[in-house]
Amino acid sequence: MDSKYFHAANHKASVLLLLITFTAAVAAAGSDEGGTLGASYIFGDSLVDAGNNNFLPTLSKANIKPNGIDFQPSGGKPTGRYTNGRTIGDIVGEELGQQHYAVPFLDPNSTGQVILYGVNYASGGGGIMNATGQIFVNRLSMDIQIDYFNITRKQIDKLLGASKAREHVMKKSIFSITIGSNDFLNNYLLPVLSIGARVSQSPDAFVDDLISHLRSQLTRLYQLDARKFIIGNVGPIGCIPYQRTINQLSENECVALPNKLALQYNAKLKDLVAELNDNLPGATFVHANVYDLVLELITNYDKYGFKTASKACCGNGGQYAGIIPCGPTSSLCEDRDKHVFWDPYHPSEAANVIIAKQLLQGDPRYVSPMGLKELRDLDL
């Protein structure tokens, strides 16, 4: 991959490369000529975590082999990404002309000029609710991620001055939010931890709670000058290898309850996106229909060049290698680009590429009211 992506094993080389290319990159970001994205600020869970959990004492980590085996900037070494290569956030940033991958906020290198290209706040196990993911001991909830962006926002003021900083955040930055799956998988549907909540809250009440919290969180980002948003809904979580394995389903079956809950949440999320577009002046909220996009991949996987959408490439246990997360002792498939799922929970890079390209191109079935290239070029 092009050397401008500075995620390299040797931090000194990374910093040197960054300094050399910085002047030209800022010029490109500042002029926005040729469709260059100024910055990408990424919030969410393990689907887009680029290494924040490496710096947390947590049970949810992906900094072990063979994770990252196809991530070229690191030479195939694990970076903390929960897939074999790039995340959707990485691919979208590249395609939009971002100069560097968004650096994880907790990485010691996430200081100075590098934050002007974007920062990744996502955390494996994180959710909309602060209680979500407590089984992992530590993770960054959406509230904490926004607290961290508040720190970044003040740093941007110091780097650029208040006026240019505001323009950078409002006009040249995209805020990407991929969250919600853990609120079901590692909260509401997790009997050990959430039995109390499930007794006291109906699915409707829990979904309403999620939407209420997310509304406040997105409004808070708006108050910190975020204007261009893409909000992903929850995918078909009943179809992941983990769910298929523990429920002993056939290859074409998905678990009904998690998918039903996801659809319930997704319907209200779509309404929330419309509401925010109406009520927050100058902001554009793009809705990403990840559920239908991933379900299409799972249902018609052969059409997209995959040979399986049920079995994890890296994992152990059961029919679909779906019980034990990916690690050094896992069985590993040889044809990684032929699997929709990398591990029991997360898509492969090959699947992420297809998902990202649909979001970029603007197919109205999957992304509305516009695709990400149009959002980037929107002159607010």
Side-chain angles (χ1 to χ4, degrees):
M1 185 174 285
D2 193 312
S3 65
K4 65 185 176 179
Y5 296 109
F6 72 102
H7 272 281
N10 187 318
H11 283 315
K12 288 183 180 175
S14 300
V15 173
L16 183 60
L17 177 61
L18 180 63
L19 290 170
I20 293 168
T21 58
F22 176 71
T23 308
V26 164
S31 65
D32 217 21
E33 287 175 6
T36 300
L37 176 66
S40 175
Y41 296 103
I42 298 171
F43 302 80
D45 53 31
S46 56
L47 292 169
V48 287
D49 186 349
N52 279 307
N53 277 26
N54 295 355
F55 304 96
L56 290 173
T58 177
L59 298 176
S60 179
K61 284 185 187 279
N63 60 343
I64 49 171
K65 292 181 177 181
N67 290 297
I69 191 170
D70 298 308
F71 190 68
Q72 292 181 23
S74 68
K77 293 177 183 173
T79 61
R81 288 165 168 82
Y82 292 73
T83 184
N84 58 308
R86 295 165 295 163
T87 68
I88 296 170
D90 295 328
I91 298 159
V92 164
E94 275 180 40
E95 293 291 324
L96 291 179
Q98 188 183 344
Q99 298 295 323
H100 298 281
Y101 294 137
V103 64
F105 178 84
L106 294 180
D107 189 313
N109 287 329
S110 67
T111 58
Q113 308 285 10
V114 66
I115 67 173
L116 298 178
Y117 301 117
V119 179
N120 184 310
Y121 305 89
S123 171
I128 295 167
M129 310 297 281
N130 289 319
T132 291
Q134 60 189 9
I135 191 172
F136 303 118
V137 185
N138 279 300
R139 71 281 168 216
L140 307 179
S141 68
M142 187 66 179
D143 279 337
I144 293 170
Q145 292 181 36
I146 298 171
D147 287 345
Y148 286 163
F149 175 70
N150 191 28
I151 294 170
T152 301
R153 182 67 190 81
K154 289 170 183 169
Q155 291 170 337
I156 297 169
D157 271 347
K158 285 182 181 171
L159 287 167
L160 298 179
S163 175
K164 284 188 176 175
R166 199 154 184 262
E167 184 182 359
H168 176 80
V169 175
M170 292 175 77
K171 297 189 173 183
K172 302 184 187 307
S173 303
I174 288 180
F175 290 75
S176 164
I177 289 92
T178 305
I179 205 155
S181 298
N182 286 314
D183 292 289
F184 296 106
L185 291 174
N186 291 305
N187 187 337
Y188 196 72
L189 290 169
L190 204 65
V192 178
L193 293 174
S194 60
I195 191 73
R198 287 174 70 184
V199 167
S200 62
Q201 276 194 302
S202 66
D204 274 345
F206 183 71
V207 166
D208 286 345
D209 218 0
L210 287 179
I211 294 294
S212 173
H213 276 76
L214 187 60
R215 178 187 290 108
S216 300
Q217 289 160 350
L218 295 175
T219 303
R220 194 173 156 214
L221 281 173
Y222 174 84
Q223 289 164 347
L224 291 168
D225 294 329
R227 290 297 180 270
K228 298 180 178 184
F229 294 85
I230 176 157
I231 316 291
N233 66 11
V234 171
I237 50 179
C239 302
I240 61 177
Y242 172 75
Q243 289 283 348
R244 286 183 173 178
T245 301
I246 64 168
N247 289 280
Q248 299 182 317
L249 298 183
S250 72
E251 200 165 340
N252 298 318
E253 286 182 295
C254 296
V255 186
L257 178 59
N259 280 358
K260 183 184 173 190
L261 290 169
L263 287 170
Q264 219 172 318
Y265 167 80
N266 290 346
K268 296 200 172 180
L269 179 71
K270 195 170 186 183
D271 292 342
L272 174 64
V273 169
E275 172 199 316
L276 294 173
N277 271 324
D278 287 343
N279 294 342
L280 296 180
T284 301
F285 288 83
V286 170
H287 176 263
N289 183 4
V290 176
Y291 187 98
D292 283 356
L293 183 46
V294 174
L295 194 61
E296 161 68 14
L297 267 189
I298 290 170
T299 307
N300 300 306
Y301 61 88
D302 50 346
K303 188 173 110 182
Y304 297 91
F306 296 103
K307 75 172 192 184
T308 176
S310 54
K311 189 170 185 182
C313 170
C314 181
N316 276 327
Q319 187 180 354
Y320 307 113
I323 295 178
I324 301 167
C326 180
T329 60
S330 300
S331 59
L332 179 65
C333 69
E334 290 183 5
D335 46 358
R336 298 184 286 275
D337 59 346
K338 300 294 183 189
H339 284 62
V340 171
F341 286 97
W342 162 244
D343 66 11
Y345 303 92
H346 306 100
S348 64
E349 181 185 65
N352 283 339
V353 167
I354 293 169
I355 295 164
K357 289 201 168 164
Q358 291 284 13
L359 299 178
L360 288 154
Q361 289 160 359
D363 185 327
R365 290 176 299 169
Y366 303 130
V367 59
S368 58
M370 66 186 72
L372 287 177
K373 287 188 174 172
E374 195 177 338
L375 180 66
R376 173 199 62 196
D377 296 336
L378 201 62
D379 191 15
L380 296 174

